[in-house]
Amino acid sequence: MRSISVFRRWQEVERLRAERNAVANKMKGKLEPSVRQAFVEEGKNLKEALVALEEDLVQLTDRLQQEAQSIPNITHPDVPIGGEESSIVRKMVGCQPEFSFAVRDHLQIGKDLDLFDFDAASEVSGSKFYYLKNEAVLLEMGLINWALSEVTKKGFTPLITPEIVRSSVVEKCGFQPRGQNTQVYSIEGSDQCLIGTAEIPVGGIHMDSILPDSALPLKYVAFSHCFRTEAGAAGAATRGLYRVHQFSKVEMFIFCQPEDSNMYHEELIQIEEDLFTSLGLHFKTLDMATGDLGAPAYRKFDVEAWMPGLGRFGEISSASNCTDYQSRRLGIRFRPSLSDASPANSKKGKGSAAPTQFVHTLNATACAVPRMIVCLLENFQQEDGSVVIPEPLRPFMGGLQVLSPKF
Amino acid sequence: MMKMMMISSGGTALQTLRLAPSLCKPPSLQTLTRYRHGLFRGPPLLPSLLRAVSSPALQPSSSGVEDEKVVVVAKPQWKAAIDFKWIRENKDLVAGNIRNRNSSANLDLVLELYEKYLGLQKEVERLRAERNAVANKMKGKLEPSVRQAFVEEGKNLKEALVALEEDLVQLTDRLQQEAQSIPNITHPDVPIGGEESSIVRKMVGCQPEFSFAVRDHLQIGKDLDLFDFDAASEVSGSKFYYLKNEAVLLEMGLINWALSEVTKKGFTPLITPEIVRSSVVEKCGFQPRGQNTQVYSIEGSDQCLIGTAEIPVGGIHMDSILPDSALPLKYVAFSHCFRTEAGAAGAATRGLYRVHQFSKVEMFIFCQPEDSNMYHEELIQIEEDLFTSLGLHFKTLDMATGDLGAPAYRKFDVEAWMPGLGRFGEISSASNCTDYQSRRLGIRFRPSLSDASPANSKKGKGSAAPTQFVHTLNATACAVPRMIVCLLENFQQEDGSVVIPEPLRPFMGGLQVLSPKF
C-alpha cells in the first residue's frame, strides 16, 4: 500500500513539474504586465507546492525503503513449510560410531591432552573465549590449510579478508548490527563492526559494481576469524567449543548469473559433503524449513554432524542461496553479453548494451574450526585417551597421525 | 571471583584477598576534594589522567596546570604491586631514568604521596589501637558516667577512623595512579638518547643489486593480483586490505613456518583470544583509552581488541603463583592483531607497511629474574636465525632510552632492507620487561626449597620461601604484512615474478615462484 502512495506522490510531483514548466513557457513571449504578474503568482504557488511535495516524497521513499528492506527473500518451491521440525533430511552419510568404553566429550578430551584453556581465557577475556594449545594449534592450522587447499583445487580464488567492516555493509548482507540481541560486535566511536562471517567482506568486495558477464561465476574461498556476541543464545548447547565468541572459518562464496544459482547451490553442498565424508564424519544434510531460513536465504542446506560427547547432531555448516537479496542491497550487477541480446535489441540505443541485472550470491561454510575440532576429538577418541587424526588432515599437520596423552 | 595479591607496607606477610563481585567497582571518574585533616599542604595536586605508557614518542610533557580545588582522576581498576620502598631508596636512579626516557611520570609527587600514605597508615593504626584500648577498658564494672565517657570517646575515635580510612583509600588510589606511570628501569648498556642514538648490534647480509627498475610491493602485488586495497577501502576503510591468490599461500606459509620453527625450539604453541578486558591491556603497559590510543574498544563493554598476542599471553598466568620448576615458560602464539594507527603520520604508511589488521606470530617467556637477560639474547638469536634463513638483509638495533616503551628494560629491534621503500623498515621487536608487567598482572613464582638456606628452612609453616615476581619477555617471530613486503621487494625478478625462499616452500605446497599470469 505504501508503495502505491509513493507512486501517487511521484505522479503528483511530475504533474506539478509539468504545470510549472508550462507556466514558465507561457511567460516567454510578450505579455501584458497584469497577465505576466498572474503567471508569476501561479509559478510561485506551484513552486511552493512542489517543494513541499518533494520533501514528502523523500521521506516516504525512506520509509518505504525501511519497511521494504525487512521483506524476506522469496522461497524456493521445494522448501518445506514450517518450523525447525519440518526441515527435510536430504542425505545421511555414515553411521554412529560405537565405543567399547565410556565416551568422553571434547572438553574432557581436551583437558586430558592439554589442548585448551577456558579458565584463563575467562579471566583475560570473559566467558566463551578460549586458548588453543599444543596439538590443538596444529589441528586448527591443519583444518584451515586443508580446507583452503581442497576448495582452491576446485577453482575457487583464495582470499584473506578484513575482519572490521562498515556497519552498512553488514546490513546490506542481511544482518542487523544494532538490533537488540544482535550477534554483531561494534567498534566504539566508529561506524565499524567486527564480522561474524567472511560472507560479509566477500559480498562487499564487489559492492556498487557492474561485472562483465564473462567474469561470472566468481568463486571465492575466504579465511577469516569470526566474532559473534551470541547474545540470547540460551540452552545446553553452549559448552566448550560448541558456542564461542571468536573462531576461525573457511567460507565459500559465489557470484553468478540468476539462472545458475540453483546449480551452484547444489555444487556448494556437494563440496561440503565431500569434505566431511573424506574426514570420516557421520552427518546429515537438511533442507531447512521456511521458519528457519534467514531473511536473505531463498534456500538453505544445513549439515549436522554426529557429536558423541554431545549425544546428538550439531550444526557444522550452512549453505545458502541468497539469489538477488544481497546483490540488490550491495548494488552488484552484471551486464549480459551482446550475444545474448536479440537482433531487435541490438538495434536499440547507445552501442546496444543490454540492460544490467542483479547477480545472485551464494555462501557456504567449508570449515568452521571449533565445531570441526569437537567432531574430530569426540568421534575419533580411543580408549587410552588418544585421538586419531583423519588421513586427509595429516599432511597439513606435519604428518601427525595421533594426538597422544602425555602421561 | 578475583584474586588480588597485596603486599602490606611492611613488605613481609602476603595476603590473598578474595574480593566479592560487589566490591569490584567499575571504573569511574571521581572528583576528589581537598583531603581532610589538612594532610596535603604541599604543592597543589596536579590533574592527572592515565598517561600514555606504550609509545614514548607520544608521552606529553607535564602540563603544569594546577587546580587547587578539584582534581579529576580516573580511579584505577587494579593495583600494580609497585615497590615503593625500592623507588624511595633509589630515587636518583629512578629520576635519571625518567629523564632519559622522556617520561612524564612525576617522581616527586609519587614520593610525596608515598610518605603521606605511610603517615596516614600509621595514624590509622594508632587510632585503631586507641579504639581497642577503650573497648578493653569498658569490659569491667564501671560507673555509669565513666562508662558514658568511654562510649563517647569510642564513638569519636570510630568517626575519626572512618574518615581517615576513606582518606587512605583515596590516597592509595592516587598513589597507584601516579606510580603506575613510572617506566621500568633500564639496562646499563642501553644507549641514552633519542632514536638516532640506538646502536647497531649486528648487520646481516647486504643490499641486493637489481639490474632493472625496482618495483615496490604494491606494484608487484598489482601485477601478480595479490592484494585489493580499493575494495577494502569501500568495505572497511583505509589501511585495510584483502589478500588474494598466492598472497594467501604466502601468509599461511609464513605463519605455519614460524610456528613450526619456534615450536621446534621448545616453545608451546598457542592460539589466543583477540578480544580481552581493557584492564589486561593496561596491565601489560598499553593504554586503551588515551588520546591517540592504538587500541580499538568494543562498544558497550570493557573489552578491547588486542594489538599483539603479548597481551593475552601475558594474561594467561594473571594472578597466579607459578611453581619454580615450571619456569621458564615459553610460548609461541599466533593471533590477528588490530591497531588504530591513530597519529601515525608520514610516508611510511603505504600499502602493507602500516595496516589496521594483520597476522603475527609472537614469542613470550616467563622466567626467573636472574635469567631474563639470557632469554633476551635467546629470543633475538631466534629472530635473527629466522630472518637470516629467509635470506633477508637486516640490522639489529639496541634501542635508545627515548625509544623504549614504558615496560621495556631493554629492547632490540630488527629492521630489514626494503628495496621498494628504499630504506630499512622494522620487522620485529624483542623486549625484556623484567617485572614491570608481572607486578601489574600479578604473576609470581615460589623459589624452590633447595634454594632456601638451612636457616630459612627452620622458619614458619613448611618453610615456603617468599614469592617473587617473574620476569616477562616478548619478541616478534613473524609480523606477516611486513614480511610479505620484504619477500616481494627483495626477491622480485625482472619478469615480475618473485622467488620464494627455500624454507617457506614446504609450507606453501612446494611453490617455488610467484609468476605473473599474463
Side-chain angles (χ1 to χ4, degrees), chain A residues 104 109 111-114 135 382-387 402-407:
Chain A
R104 301 172 193 96
I109 300 169
K111 192 176 270 188
D112 296 340
L113 295 175
D114 197 20
E135 286 94 340
Q382 310 298 304
E383 183 158 15
D384 65 358
S386 60
V387 176
V402 180
L403 308 185
S404 309
K406 292 169 182 53
F407 20 72

Side-chain angles (χ1 to χ4, degrees), chain A residues 120 122-126 129-134 137 140-141 144-145 148 157-166 169 178 185-188 192 194 201 204-205 207 223 225 227 246, chain B residues 1 231 233-237 240-245 248 251-252 255-256 259 268-277 280 289 296-299 303 305 312 315-316 334 336 338 357:
Chain A
S122 185
E123 293 296 316
V124 171
S125 307
F129 285 98
Y130 56 100
Y131 294 82
L132 293 182
K133 301 172 64 171
N134 296 313
V137 173
E140 162 149 341
M141 300 307 297
I144 295 164
N145 290 317
L148 278 172
T157 298
L159 280 183
I160 284 174
T161 76
E163 290 155 9
I164 293 178
V165 297
R166 300 181 200 271
V169 181
R178 293 179 196 281
Y185 285 101
S186 291
I187 303 287
E188 200 178 271
Q192 293 165 317
L194 295 181
I205 210 173
M207 299 189 1
F223 166 51
H225 289 181
F227 301 90
Q246 171 192 325
Chain B
M1 178 178 70
S233 185
E234 293 297 316
V235 171
S236 306
F240 284 98
Y241 57 99
Y242 294 82
L243 293 183
K244 302 172 64 173
N245 297 312
V248 173
E251 161 149 341
M252 300 308 296
I255 296 164
N256 289 316
L259 279 173
T268 298
L270 279 184
I271 285 174
T272 77
E274 290 155 9
I275 292 178
V276 297
R277 301 181 200 271
V280 181
R289 294 179 196 279
Y296 285 102
S297 290
I298 304 287
E299 199 176 272
Q303 293 165 317
L305 295 180
I316 208 173
F334 166 50
H336 289 181
F338 302 90
Q357 171 192 325

Side-chain angles (χ1 to χ4, degrees), chain B residues 493-509:
Chain B
Q493 309 297 305
E494 182 157 20
D495 65 357
S497 60
V498 176
V499 176
I500 308 293
E502 282 235 31
L504 290 179
R505 296 177 187 181
F507 298 92
M508 292 176 63

